[in-house]
Amino acid sequence: MHLTYPTSRDLNGERGTRIATHRLRAIFGSAALAGILTVTAGCDKHAETAEVVHRTSLANKPNVVFLLFGDRADPRLLPVATAIHGQVAPVSLEVQGWRDFDNIYFKPGARITLYRDGRADGSGVIRRGMWDATGPLYKLPRCATPKPLAALAPRTSESSEVMLERIATSEPLVLPAERAPARPSAIDSARAVAFRVSQREGITRNARAGLDLAVNAIHTGATAWPTLVASYLERGGGILGHPRHLFVLADSADGAYTPSFVHSADDSLPEFRRFIDHADITGDGVDELLLEGWANGGDSFLLFLRFTNGRWREMARGETSWCAERR
């Protein structure tokens, strides 16, 4: 199942018309993506992935990072990772462990803290957890025990939005001082960087005419200047079924922007990237970036990027399976 739904309006960036009506690919039938993380190294899809084998301990109730997503009238909360001592780590549990997780974090009435564009965005209230007397919140085909989601009560402050995407945590993060919004000129810089990198990656002027361009500028704390986000994405199925895609981040300490992360869907099994949001999850003063990734014709996963030595590097990514049972 690869259903899509519109994302919330991007307040600071610009999206092509088609991109504005995308996307988290569904694995539940109404919208979601898998997000149990594995630690990775490197800065692109070719990085090696090393699975974390130890199980998450819930004994001290670690701070959990969630993705709040879906219809504003009935949003869902998806566990993504834990944030412990400045490290983002996977939530790795057995079937009973996920039941315990639901009992600890998804009690009706519990509050979670929401973030948007690196800033606190109030709180949300859990309406129900994964399992109650009426049965599970959702079901998966051929899976007796899906990993848990929670349903949140709608917030009146979001009544003007259709679909939601927010980072959330079980305990508040220590956020940096308020950052000024990016200037409109930063969006022009993002377009210029996207153009230069696309030329270097062999995307011609004629090819760019068939791609949607989404650009954004966000203050992440990586440098004194905003981080630029740009993405080219195919409008159709691509040439011979191979959609073209380019995702670029750029940063500067002195005003001269250079690429700090480049991902290109340039092989027979291409993967794609989409920026979701950012927040300082590790508490080091620099935000981590939350992206959606997906394979051509495949399911979605979440991944975090961290700024290290002048570049954004993939620090953790999610699996595409949301079944707690081992297959």
Side-chain angles (χ1 to χ4, degrees), residues 123-141:
S123 63
V125 178
I126 292 178
R127 180 172 60 80
R128 64 155 288 178
M130 178 65 181
W131 294 280
D132 65 12
T134 64
L137 184 62
Y138 75 96
K139 296 181 180 180
L140 287 178

Side-chain angles (χ1 to χ4, degrees), residues 126-174:
I126 292 178
R127 180 172 60 80
R128 64 155 288 178
M130 178 65 181
W131 294 280
D132 65 12
T134 64
L137 184 62
Y138 75 96
K139 296 181 180 180
L140 287 178
R142 300 179 298 279
C143 178
T145 311
K147 295 169 185 176
L149 293 178
L152 261 68
R155 298 198 306 168
T156 56
S157 61
E158 292 165 336
S159 60
S160 63
E161 300 182 60
V162 179
M163 307 301 292
L164 306 177
E165 284 182 310
R166 303 278 192 281
I167 292 174
T169 56
S170 57
E171 300 293 336
L173 300 173
V174 178

